[in-house]
């Protein structure tokens, strides 16, 4: 009988193929995908809302997909920017997959879109293993989370093309050691750029948008040492992480709130059979910490 690890590898390989096709298709349309990864409460929704609003003010055509286990709160918040926004409810699934992104974009993404921002589920483990067809992957961290976060979650930070700190206005009262944080980031992702942002003051908002537009215009991205997903795992599990869902059960409803949502058939926040919310192993081994 096929081992669980083989099933997971097959699922991730299928996701990679879909992501590659999606990236190519969108590139032909002039669309660049930016995948935002962070913990819950990092402030990425507020920062993304500011970035979208800035783009709208500059007449730059942008759009956003935002994913959450339950509620449409983030889509409502992002829609205030004036940019097209669509919600994805995962009903307990701890990450987005390329198939979900492709399905939600079908017939919805405005044809002149320059940058599509994808706000992933708040989680620094599972999402790190899934390529969504992005060209730019950003790992975000609030200064209140602690400077050792990159060492605890090396796959998320080690696979990022850009690292962003948020809520920098709280750095001093939180006792954030920025020097230590930057050193830890460089240990898992040497050479990656680290941006400081504050949604409250607007600091760094323009820079985040500029980096996304630069990639859209063909600027080379930083090459991180880790890939989005593993080629092999060191151990097996006795259960299936396939996370396959039937696209035909998605329902699109326009509620007139300036965004679209996706509903599944399970109670919000509950798992469906075969769908687990616990972490996936890290994608690959991070560079050895400096002695």
């Amino acid at each position: 009988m096929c081992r669980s690890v083989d099933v997971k590898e097959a699922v991730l390989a299928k996701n990679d193929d879909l992501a590659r096709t999606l990236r190519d298709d969108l590139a032909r349309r002039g669309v660049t995908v930016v995948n935002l990864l962070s913990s819950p409460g990092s402030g990425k929704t507020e920062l993304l809302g500011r970035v979208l609003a800035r783009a709208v003010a500059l007449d730059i055509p942008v759009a956003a997909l935002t994913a959450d286990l339950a509620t449409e709160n983030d889509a409502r918040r992002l829609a205030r920017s004036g940019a097209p926004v669509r919600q994805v409810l995962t009903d307990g699934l701890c990450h987005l997959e390329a198939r979900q992104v492709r399905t939600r974009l079908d017939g919805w993404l405005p044809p002149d879109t320059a940058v599509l921002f994808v706000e992933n589920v708040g989680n620094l483990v599972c999402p790190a293993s899934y390529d969504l067809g992005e060209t730019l992957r950003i790992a975000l961290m609030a200064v209140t989370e602690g400077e050792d976060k990159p060492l605890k979650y090396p796959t998320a930070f080690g696979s990022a093309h850009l690292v962003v700190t948020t809520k920098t206005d709280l750095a001093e009262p939180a006792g954030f050691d920025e020097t230590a944080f930057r050193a830890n980031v460089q240990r898992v992702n040497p050479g990656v750029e680290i941006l400081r942002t504050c949604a409250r003051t607007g600091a760094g908002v323009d820079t985040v948008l500029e980096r996304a537009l630069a990639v859209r215009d063909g600027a080379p991205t930083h090459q991180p040492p880790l890939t989005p997903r593993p080629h092999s795992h060191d151990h097996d599990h006795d259960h299936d992480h396939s996370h396959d869902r039937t696209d035909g059960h998605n329902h699109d409803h326009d509620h007139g709130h300036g965004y679209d949502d996706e509903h599944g058939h399970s109670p919000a926040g509950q798992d469906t059979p075969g769908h687990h919310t616990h972490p996936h192993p890290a994608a690959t081994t991070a560079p050895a910490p400096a002695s």
Side-chain angles (χ1 to χ4, degrees), residues 15-239:
N15 182 83
D16 285 351
D17 290 340
L18 289 173
R20 190 178 306 109
T21 299
L22 178 61
R23 182 164 34 246
D24 292 344
D25 289 345
L26 289 175
R28 282 191 289 270
R29 296 168 54 183
V31 182
T32 290
V33 178
V34 178
N35 184 5
L36 304 175
L37 305 179
S38 80
S39 302
S42 68
K44 69 177 178 297
T45 303
E46 188 66 23
L47 178 63
L48 176 56
R50 293 295 188 101
V51 171
L52 294 174
R54 182 59 174 159
V56 170
L58 295 172
D59 292 323
I60 299 170
V62 296
L65 283 180
T66 180
D68 215 336
L69 276 69
T71 84
E72 301 165 16
N73 295 346
D74 287 351
R76 291 191 182 96
R77 292 170 62 189
L78 293 178
R80 297 170 192 159
S81 68
V85 177
R86 175 164 270 196
Q87 178 76 53
V88 180
L89 295 180
T90 67
D91 291 326
L93 189 61
C94 57
H95 61 275
L96 277 178
E97 298 176 7
R99 172 185 49 75
Q100 294 169 299
V101 174
R102 182 190 62 184
T103 299
R104 299 303 288 156
L105 295 182
D106 188 25
W108 170 77
L109 189 66
D112 63 342
T113 303
V115 180
L116 171 67
F117 292 91
V118 179
E119 183 182 18
N120 219 311
V121 178
N123 184 344
L124 282 174
V125 184
C126 307
S129 294
Y130 286 82
D131 184 352
L132 301 183
E134 72 263 23
T135 304
L136 182 64
R137 173 177 288 208
I138 302 179
L140 303 94
M141 193 202 84
V143 297
T144 53
E145 296 181 66
E147 47 280 323
D148 63 342
K149 217 51 162 208
L151 302 182
K152 289 184 175 182
Y153 302 95
T155 303
F157 287 91
S159 64
H161 302 105
L162 178 66
V163 173
V164 171
T165 55
T166 62
K167 304 183 181 181
T168 53
D169 56 325
L170 300 177
E172 185 174 350
F176 180 64
D177 187 338
E178 184 168 356
T179 299
F181 168 75
R182 288 179 174 270
N184 290 337
V185 170
Q186 295 303 320
R187 286 168 71 177
V188 299
N189 195 343
V192 70
E193 182 180 14
I194 303 171
L195 298 181
R196 303 177 77 254
T197 69
C198 177
R200 180 176 296 176
T201 65
V205 169
D206 283 354
T207 307
V208 172
L209 179 58
E210 288 167 4
R211 295 296 184 272
L213 292 174
V215 171
R216 190 256 184 180
D217 292 337
T221 58
H222 166 73
Q223 296 302 304
L226 303 186
T227 58
R229 75 170 189 89
H231 295 291
S232 62
H233 293 287
D234 294 331
H235 59 278
D236 300 343
H237 296 281
D238 57 1
H239 48 271

